[in-house]
Each structure stands twice: as C-alpha cells, then as structure tokens.
Amino acid sequence: GLSPQSREGSRGRLQCVQRGGVPALLACRGRCLSMLLLFRLDAAAVVLPHPDKVATGGEDAWFARGSTFGVFDGVGGWAEQGIDPGLFSRALAVETAREVAGIEGAEAAEEDLARALDTARSRVTAVGTCTACLVHLSASGSLTALNLGDSGFRLLRPSRVSPPHRLAVTLRSREQQHRFNCPFQLGVGSGDSAADGAVYSGVVRAGDLLLLVTDGVTDNLSERQICEALAGPLARGEPARSLAAALAASAHEASLQPGRSSPFAAAAQNAGLSHSGGKPDDVTVLCVRVLDGS
C-alpha cells in the first residue's frame, strides 16, 4: 500500500502496479471488491508517509484481497543500517495477499491467517521486520483477526438512537510490545512468529465500519478522536475512500503538533520517558464499509 488510490476490478482480483520499482497493491472498491451473501463491502486505503519519507513512499504497506485485509508497518530502526524498512513490509503484504486468496468468502479459522502469514514470511527475501494485522470477513458476517505488534483494527458501529451517526468501538485489537516502542514483529533476527499474534473474533452487520491502521493513527489519536474524525463523512454518506482520507488527515495533522496531548506521549510517560506532542510517522488507514447486500 504505497498509494492512497483505489481501483475497480473484477471480484477482488489482486492487482499490482509499479511505483518507484516496488509493487503496490491497490484495493477494488464497491461491489467489485467482494460479493458476500449478506453484505457488500466498500473498501479503500490511504497512506500518508512521514514528511521525511515521502520520496520512498514510507514504510507502511497494505492489501485488500476479496474479503481479507491487512496492514503492515516496517520497523524504522533498519534505516540506521542503510536498509529501507518499507521493502520488507511491502514484500510481506504482496505475499500474504497471495496466500489468503484461497479463503475468500469462507469461514476462516485463526490458524488460516497465521498459516498464511508464516508462509508469506518464508517467501520474503528482503531484509527487515514489520508488524502485521490481518482481518477476514466471511460470507455469513463473521470476523476473524490476527494482530502481531502495534498496528491494529477497530470495528465501529453507528448508534441506532440519537445521535444516529455517533460511533462506538465494538471490537478492538490490543498492541503487543516487548517494551515501550518495541513491538512484536516478523522478520530477520526476530524471535516472533505469527503464532505469537493475538487472535480476535466477532460478527459484523450492515452499517459497521472496519478500520485497519498502523500506529501512526493510534499513537496520535484516541478512540474518541478517531470516531469524531469519521462522524462527519459518515453522516454525509461518503464512501470508504473519503472516510479513510479524513481519518488519515486527522492523524497526520495531530502527529505534527508538538504541544498536544497524544496517546504516544502518555505511553512514554508511563514508561518513565519524556515526550511532548504527537509522534510523526507514516499513517495508513484501510477502511471497510459493511453495506447491506440487497
């Protein structure tokens, strides 16, 4: 996911384009992305790189394959060794998208996602490490997720009472860290594997919003602020691309404000460290609107 683009195609076919010599996965949108029995999905992703990493596209990656979605965040420490962390995360995204092709629309068990991620990791030759978050939606509306590290997902549900577009978080992933700012990660030299990831299950219904995000979002916005950023576009009936763009812009803006309170600053304080303001970082938002299939 180097690009905040989306492209229509036939029934969620994997599409790759070249940007800067690196393959980037583009999501299909609307009915073409995935036909579920009860739902249709409108999905799109937006990536806003760290201001210093615009030329390389940043270190985040993502994919949308049928009704399975993933985000990956390359660990920035590799840059100190002259290695672009984005090469590993993008390669893992491409390989994982290929591995999950066989479970499109089916009921996926947690071991299916873990197996896909481990197999994909075995095929990546690039040097680096990254976090990973995978979410699969079945034809019946069941949700299965696997999260390793400090990227993650949120399932948001609009209120059915006043105010009608107020959002509540009904399911969330929790970050996994060995210590402050050192997330669980897959790749070279890491002792972590997909089996170390946390697994989640739930049920989606029409009207839900599924968000997969890297920590450029959650380090800079609280869950309340995430919901507030999405409320306006949702009330206007805007598509997933607009919702993703609105949330990414809010997180990016917050990351560059030195004097504001942020989740990252609070976590640093809890770890006995001093940090003020947001945390500049790549920001990736993959938004999936669950719509009535009729």
Side-chain angles (χ1 to χ4, degrees):
L2 283 175
S3 171
Q5 304 178 61
S6 56
R7 173 178 297 177
E8 294 195 351
S10 59
R11 294 185 60 79
R13 180 179 301 165
L14 180 67
Q15 303 179 60
C16 294
V17 298
Q18 293 290 325
R19 179 179 178 187
V22 179
L25 296 177
L26 300 184
C28 305
R29 295 184 62 237
R31 292 182 182 272
C32 68
L33 174 63
S34 180
M35 292 290 188
L36 300 183
L37 295 177
L38 302 177
F39 311 105
R40 62 186 174 91
L41 306 178
D42 173 23
V46 169
V47 180
L48 298 179
H50 184 292
D52 295 338
K53 302 172 185 177
V54 172
T56 61
E59 298 163 357
D60 289 354
W62 62 274
F63 76 84
R65 179 74 186 248
S67 56
T68 307
F69 309 91
V71 295
F72 307 80
D73 184 355
V75 175
W78 288 97
E80 299 173 4
Q81 301 180 42
I83 295 170
D84 179 0
L87 296 178
F88 183 89
S89 62
R90 289 190 286 273
L92 188 59
V94 169
E95 295 298 338
T96 306
R98 291 179 177 137
E99 288 300 315
V100 300
I103 61 174
E104 181 175 349
E107 300 288 337
E110 58 191 59
E111 54 265 27
D112 294 323
L113 296 180
R115 186 183 307 112
L117 191 57
D118 270 336
T119 301
R121 164 65 190 100
S122 70
R123 294 178 176 173
V124 174
T125 59
V127 175
T129 51
C130 71
T131 66
C133 179
L134 306 180
V135 180
H136 174 75
L137 302 179
S138 76
S140 66
S142 65
L143 178 153
T144 304
L146 172 68
N147 187 66
L148 182 94
D150 57 5
S151 295
F153 77 91
R154 302 291 187 274
L155 181 64
L156 309 183
R157 183 162 294 163
S159 171
R160 290 187 170 179
V161 296
S162 181
H165 296 290
R166 181 175 181 178
L167 291 166
V169 179
T170 65
L171 186 63
R172 62 175 61 82
S173 60
R174 299 293 184 183
E175 67 179 25
Q176 297 177 304
Q177 297 200 33
H178 294 290
R179 58 185 182 277
F180 174 70
N181 211 29
C182 180
F184 285 28
Q185 54 200 270
L186 295 173
V188 177
S190 173
D192 301 326
S193 70
D196 297 309
V199 296
Y200 303 86
S201 63
V203 177
V204 299
R205 69 187 189 196
D208 286 355
L209 292 177
L210 172 64
L211 302 175
L212 284 76
V213 300
T214 55
D215 66 339
V217 175
T218 51
D219 277 344
N220 290 295
L221 297 177
S222 66
E223 286 189 347
R224 177 182 61 81
Q225 291 167 329
I226 289 172
C227 292
E228 288 175 350
L230 294 169
L234 181 65
R236 294 188 292 272
E238 296 185 10
R241 177 174 172 78
S242 297
L243 295 169
L247 180 55
S250 294
H252 182 71
E253 179 181 358
S255 75
L256 302 178
Q257 295 177 358
R260 70 185 301 276
S261 174
S262 71
F264 183 80
Q269 184 176 8
N270 290 338
L273 303 173
S274 177
H275 181 89
S276 176
K279 178 194 174 190
D281 200 354
D282 300 327
V283 171
T284 294
V285 177
L286 201 172
C287 178
V288 184
R289 295 187 66 205
V290 181
L291 306 173
D292 191 295
S294 59

